[in-house]
Amino acid sequence: MQASSQSATVERAIARSQEIEREIDKDPSRFRILTGDRPTGHLHLGHYFGTIQSRVTLQNRGIELWQLIADYQVITDRDGVGPLRERVLSLLTDYLAAGMDPKKTVIFTHSAVPALNQLMLPFLSLVTEAELHRNPTVKSELEASGGRAMSGLLLTYPVHQAADILFCRANLVPVGQDQLPHVEQTRVIANRFDKRYGRVREDQPVFRRPDALLSNARHVLGLDGEKMSKSRGNTIELRMSADETAKRLKKAKTDADRNITYDPVNRPEVSNLLLLASMASGEDPREIADQIGDGGGGALKNRVTEDLNTYLEPMRAKRAELEQNEDYLLEILRAGNERANEVAEATLADVREAMHMRYY
């Protein structure tokens, strides 16, 4: 029954996403997107082809994009923040090099927007402990912790995400299927807030109800054939040079069959490298496989290296330029934080009004 319910949820989300795509074509100004990343390390190809590329496309379609650098969420599952300043600026640099335009996209950090985080207090009163424990992300993080006690921040992670989305009145959140419960939890919190506290203005609720925009991006594996992950060291970071990229790819896992074919089920490592070449070159992975033929893993790696380095060259040049101007990076972050604070304070004022907590 549960599997059937999940399947129905995904089907509804797919249908709604297709409807939203048509609505975006008609009037992109109706939408505000919230998305973000934790600065736990440097962005890699999995991030770029999985999400960053599509965010830039949505921005360029005319949608207002709000890009969160979730620095507070670094400590949900770790004891310290590490070289946080370096990673935040690296993240910002990658965003800009990939095509995010600060004139169209608001880039901001959790820690600089107090009113956003203050929404956690009323929101926590609208969810139960059992609901939080059932959240798939919370469950998977707990299972991966190796028996480590769960922090309160990790348990309430879905509520913090709801605050991220609702504070800026975003109505669209790009997600994969595994993240649909987060968007649903956000809608539940918004509905419960209205039911419990009412509305400040009769013609509209305090919070817009966000929709999920399901991603159709293809996911790439790490160079060892496992999930691409910063912690596994199996990534190609966007900040790496052409030579560093070539060295990483030489170590990529393939198989013993010299005849290169695109077969994701039976040959995942070879197919993953073909997919990388495809996303970089725009050619079909099967055509690339045919071109390589019986050249073996060496020829495949050479092709992937050439395609990726050609594709990433303009991005790397832009990144190198940005790295030389930290003042410019800080000014973009300052402007994004100011805009986020402006909107967050207005939202919090409406929340206080609805909760009868405005005393003067």
Side-chain angles (χ1 to χ4, degrees):
M1 179 66 74
Q2 184 177 6
S4 176
S5 175
Q6 290 175 345
S7 177
T9 298
V10 171
E11 288 178 5
R12 287 194 298 271
I14 292 172
R16 178 58 181 145
S17 292
Q18 292 171 343
E19 182 182 351
I20 290 169
E21 288 286 352
R22 293 190 290 270
E23 292 173 4
I24 291 172
D25 288 336
K26 293 179 181 177
D27 184 8
S29 67
R30 291 177 47 204
F31 298 96
R32 175 180 288 176
I33 285 177
L34 185 284
T35 186
D37 301 287
R38 294 200 303 168
T40 54
H42 301 287
L43 292 185
H44 52 65
L45 288 180
H47 295 123
Y48 178 75
F49 287 121
T51 60
I52 304 298
Q53 187 181 50
S54 64
R55 295 176 198 175
V56 173
T57 298
L58 289 166
Q59 167 202 266
N60 293 339
R61 291 174 71 183
I63 297 176
E64 184 180 358
L65 180 66
W66 283 57
Q67 178 64 49
L68 167 65
I69 300 177
D71 53 350
Y72 267 154
Q73 289 180 358
V74 169
I75 55 175
T76 54
D77 56 355
R78 52 195 71 202
D79 297 324
V81 297
L84 189 58
R85 187 180 190 276
E86 173 198 342
R87 288 172 177 171
V88 167
L89 291 180
S90 177
L91 211 61
L92 174 58
T93 305
D94 282 332
Y95 290 157
L96 299 175
M100 287 191 189
D101 183 347
K103 295 179 181 178
K104 301 176 182 178
T105 294
V106 180
I107 305 174
F108 65 103
T109 55
H110 259 154
S111 59
V113 191
L116 182 169
N117 298 292
Q118 192 170 338
L119 290 176
M120 284 279 286
L121 290 173
F123 285 1
L124 284 169
S125 74
L126 300 170
V127 297
T128 67
E129 181 185 0
E131 286 175 322
L132 294 175
H133 277 291
R134 286 197 299 268
N135 184 276
T137 298
V138 173
K139 289 170 66 176
S140 64
E141 290 290 342
L142 180 61
E143 291 169 0
S145 69
R148 176 175 173 163
M150 182 188 296
S151 72
L153 188 56
L154 178 54
L155 178 63
T156 58
Y157 179 77
V159 183
H160 205 180
Q161 281 202 322
D164 296 339
I165 297 166
L166 296 176
F167 98 92
C168 67
R169 307 183 197 271
N171 61 347
L172 203 55
V173 186
V175 295
Q177 292 183 11
D178 60 329
Q179 295 172 306
L180 285 173
H182 285 295
V183 180
E184 183 55 34
Q185 181 70 77
T186 300
R187 294 176 65 90
V188 167
I189 287 173
N191 287 332
R192 288 177 181 171
F193 185 91
D194 276 358
K195 185 176 181 180
R196 183 172 296 184
Y197 299 112
R199 301 183 175 191
V200 177
R201 289 172 287 276
E202 290 187 6
D203 61 327
Q204 67 181 51
V206 173
F207 301 110
R208 293 204 285 184
R209 304 309 191 255
D211 280 306
L213 181 63
L214 283 179
S215 170
N216 57 6
R218 293 175 290 184
H219 295 285
V220 295
L221 299 174
L223 300 180
D224 58 358
E226 303 295 331
K227 179 181 178 181
M228 189 170 283
S229 168
K230 305 168 194 171
S231 62
R232 294 185 63 91
N234 62 359
T235 68
I236 294 175
E237 296 175 356
L238 298 184
R239 66 176 187 150
M240 286 179 174
S241 67
D243 286 344
E244 288 172 323
T245 298
K247 289 178 182 177
R248 282 286 178 101
L249 283 167
K250 281 183 179 178
K251 299 178 181 178
K253 187 176 180 181
T254 55
D255 58 34
D257 188 346
R258 289 190 57 81
N259 186 41
I260 301 302
T261 58
Y262 185 68
D263 184 354
V265 174
N266 298 307
R267 305 185 71 185
E269 298 91 353
V270 167
S271 297
N272 185 58
L273 290 174
L274 287 167
L275 183 59
L276 284 172
S278 170
M279 290 187 289
S281 68
E283 293 186 56
D284 187 276
R286 293 170 182 81
E287 293 179 1
I288 297 173
D290 290 342
Q291 292 166 18
I292 297 171
D294 60 0
L300 172 59
K301 292 176 186 180
N302 288 338
R303 172 62 188 268
V304 178
T305 299
E306 180 181 349
D307 286 343
L308 278 178
N309 281 335
T310 299
Y311 182 84
L312 293 172
E313 184 177 1
M315 200 182 307
R316 286 171 174 153
K318 179 66 174 177
R319 197 183 201 287
E321 179 185 337
L322 290 165
E323 284 180 321
Q324 300 304 309
N325 195 346
E326 184 175 292
D327 288 344
Y328 173 69
L329 296 175
L330 294 176
E331 180 54 39
I332 288 174
L333 199 56
R334 189 177 299 112
N337 286 336
E338 287 178 359
R339 174 61 176 151
N341 273 288
E342 176 186 345
V343 171
E345 288 289 349
T347 301
L348 185 58
D350 281 351
V351 167
R352 288 172 174 153
E353 186 76 32
M355 297 177 71
H356 307 290
M357 288 183 175
R358 295 195 68 171
Y359 308 122
Y360 46 85

